[in-house]
Amino acid sequence: MQIKSDGQTYAPKGLANHVCGPDDFPVGIIGLDHGHIYGMSNGLMEAGAKLALVYDPDPQKVAEYCARYSQVKPARCKEEILENDQIRMVLSASIPNERCQLGIEVMEHGKDFFTDKPPLTTAQQLNQAKDTVKRTGRKYAVYYSERRHVEAAVYAQKLLEEKAIGQVISIAGFGPHRASLPTRPQWFFEKEKYGGILVDIGCHQIEQMLIYAGASDATIEQSRIGNLYHPEHPGFEDFGDMTLTCSNGVAAYGQLHWFTPDGLGAWGDGRTIITGTDGYIELRKYIDVARDKEGDHIYLVNHEGERHIKAAGTIGFPFFGQLIRDCLDGTSLAFDQEIEFKAIELAIQAEKQALRIHNPIE
């Protein structure tokens, strides 16, 4: 049986647009537990970073990574990367609840940290990360790929800045994923390790809400989680949703689940709908169902009429080049550190206060 694609293998490739010289930004890679490490690596390499050293306790994972990126060399231990004065940044897609401690070590060694989402899993870890950023002055960047590594999402931000739909009123985000349970590692089913569905993939939605709303904070009005149809994995959550009110009054809703059917030609029909005073935008990120197997579709309706924009190949992924320049120049163009942390803070709150729902036919 052919295994359908899932979010583990999401690793977009864009056009090379180097923002630094070939040896200006060497990076190390520690932790290969999630396939997002390949998307993170692609984005930085296309922006001019040099993939220098890689370490994971599993030699098979290291071999697979080195086979894909011929310029990288395996390290004997993580300390070889942490103590290398040439390394400017460390990337990681380790097990979620282990990311924060690694990030602290990285920053204490004078390097910036770029981690897969979720960047951490508990409020205690968040406080530790914040304290270390403040003490060291280093960056703790997060691979919020659903906005930063999707051209339709990048393009939508440009439209909002141009006031194409006026003032934003509401945002609704939908993040369905294909479960592909036979391919998942054991930690995927242990809540202590992945943080719960609203932490794990809900932080994506919250980051988008804050950025598209132009808000710095939000209130969790209600949230729900449940393991509705996977009793064989008691630590797993297959559904979650949440309603937020952003600090500037924008209403927001996010829904996540692991029920993408095998008949869909993508790992998830991720969509975002943004309503404004003068129109609305719908993003069909990964597929336009029954129309186009490719993603990056934008549907824009405003006073000028109706538009369908195919964003692929139009705007690229500026986040990665901005991140490199931020680290080299001491600027903050790629992201706001407070909002970077606020997204996961709100996700942790939503998970903690969530109403647990059950199989409706039980």
Side-chain angles (χ1 to χ4, degrees):
M1 182 180 71
Q2 182 180 6
I3 297 177
K4 293 281 188 176
S5 65
D6 57 49
Q8 299 176 88
T9 59
Y10 184 70
K13 291 184 178 181
L15 298 176
N17 184 19
H18 292 185
V19 300
C20 61
D23 296 312
D24 289 346
F25 201 73
V27 301
I29 301 93
I30 301 175
L32 304 173
D33 292 285
H34 198 291
H36 283 169
I37 195 66
Y38 292 104
M40 299 163 68
S41 301
N42 290 349
L44 283 177
M45 187 172 66
E46 289 160 5
K50 177 183 178 180
L51 306 181
L53 292 170
V54 59
Y55 174 74
D56 188 276
D58 184 342
Q60 180 61 36
K61 291 177 182 174
V62 172
E64 291 172 359
Y65 188 89
C66 291
R68 187 174 300 200
Y69 304 108
S70 59
Q71 71 272 39
V72 73
K73 298 185 182 303
R76 291 164 294 181
C77 59
K78 70 176 182 179
E79 285 74 21
E80 185 178 346
I81 295 174
L82 294 174
E83 296 171 6
N84 186 319
D85 292 336
Q86 301 302 310
I87 298 294
R88 302 297 300 262
M89 170 181 279
V90 171
L91 321 185
S92 182
S94 53
I95 295 172
N97 71 330
E98 298 175 2
R99 291 170 186 169
C100 181
Q101 181 57 43
L102 174 62
I104 290 171
E105 293 180 58
V106 167
M107 292 185 289
E108 288 180 339
H109 279 81
K111 308 179 193 310
D112 294 307
F113 186 52
F114 182 29
T115 178
D116 189 16
K117 64 80 222 163
L120 41 83
T121 57
T122 69
Q124 181 181 8
Q125 289 180 351
L126 177 60
N127 290 333
Q128 292 171 340
K130 286 181 175 180
D131 288 345
T132 308
V133 166
K134 183 177 181 179
R135 175 164 45 84
T136 64
R138 309 314 305 184
K139 298 184 185 299
Y140 196 116
V142 186
Y143 186 55
Y144 289 125
S145 60
E146 287 196 19
R147 186 180 63 84
R148 291 171 172 162
H149 222 172
V150 174
E151 278 191 274
V154 177
Y155 199 111
Q157 191 170 347
K158 175 176 177 288
L159 291 174
L160 294 176
E161 290 169 357
E162 294 170 352
K163 301 297 183 182
I165 61 170
Q167 292 297 123
V168 174
I169 297 171
S170 69
I171 302 165
F174 302 88
H177 287 60
R178 177 171 285 120
S180 300
L181 297 184
T183 72
R184 300 289 180 173
Q186 182 57 37
W187 61 260
F188 180 79
F189 305 104
E190 299 175 16
K191 184 170 180 175
E192 180 183 355
K193 294 184 177 179
Y194 72 88
I197 190 169
L198 297 181
V199 170
D200 182 20
I201 53 180
C203 61
H204 266 314
Q205 300 298 327
I206 295 176
E207 194 267 350
Q208 291 174 84
M209 294 169 185
L210 293 174
I211 296 300
Y212 288 154
S216 60
D217 201 351
T219 300
I220 308 294
E221 305 293 356
Q222 69 87 29
S223 54
R224 297 176 292 190
I225 55 174
N227 182 353
L228 304 182
Y229 289 98
H230 297 89
E232 71 278 17
H233 298 294
F236 184 49
E237 292 173 357
D238 54 25
F239 178 87
D241 73 350
M242 53 193 165
T243 302
L244 293 78
T245 302
C246 296
S247 54
N248 58 1
V250 173
Y253 173 76
Q255 183 190 105
L256 307 310
H257 65 71
W258 293 95
F259 293 105
T260 292
D262 286 343
L264 186 73
W267 55 267
D269 185 11
R271 301 195 189 196
T272 302
I273 301 171
I274 309 167
T275 302
T277 54
D278 296 318
Y280 63 91
I281 294 169
E282 180 182 348
L283 309 182
R284 301 183 186 180
K285 296 179 181 178
Y286 311 113
I287 191 171
D288 194 355
V289 175
R291 292 174 180 266
D292 191 341
K293 293 292 186 185
E294 300 300 319
D296 288 309
H297 294 268
I298 299 174
Y299 290 90
L300 168 64
V301 182
N302 59 17
H303 294 315
E304 297 178 3
E306 307 165 0
R307 291 177 62 192
H308 173 211
I309 302 168
K310 298 191 73 170
T314 65
I315 200 166
F317 309 114
F319 168 78
F320 300 95
Q322 291 171 346
L323 180 60
I324 290 173
R325 291 314 318 176
D326 280 350
C327 294
L328 292 174
D329 303 335
T331 52
S332 299
L333 299 175
F335 70 96
D336 181 306
Q337 186 68 72
E338 290 188 10
I339 293 180
E340 203 83 339
F341 282 146
K342 181 59 68 172
I344 187 61
E345 177 185 336
L346 291 168
I348 292 169
Q349 289 178 10
E351 182 74 32
K352 182 178 181 180
Q353 71 184 55
L355 171 68
R356 178 165 289 276
I357 57 177
H358 302 281
N359 183 325
I361 62 173
E362 284 184 344

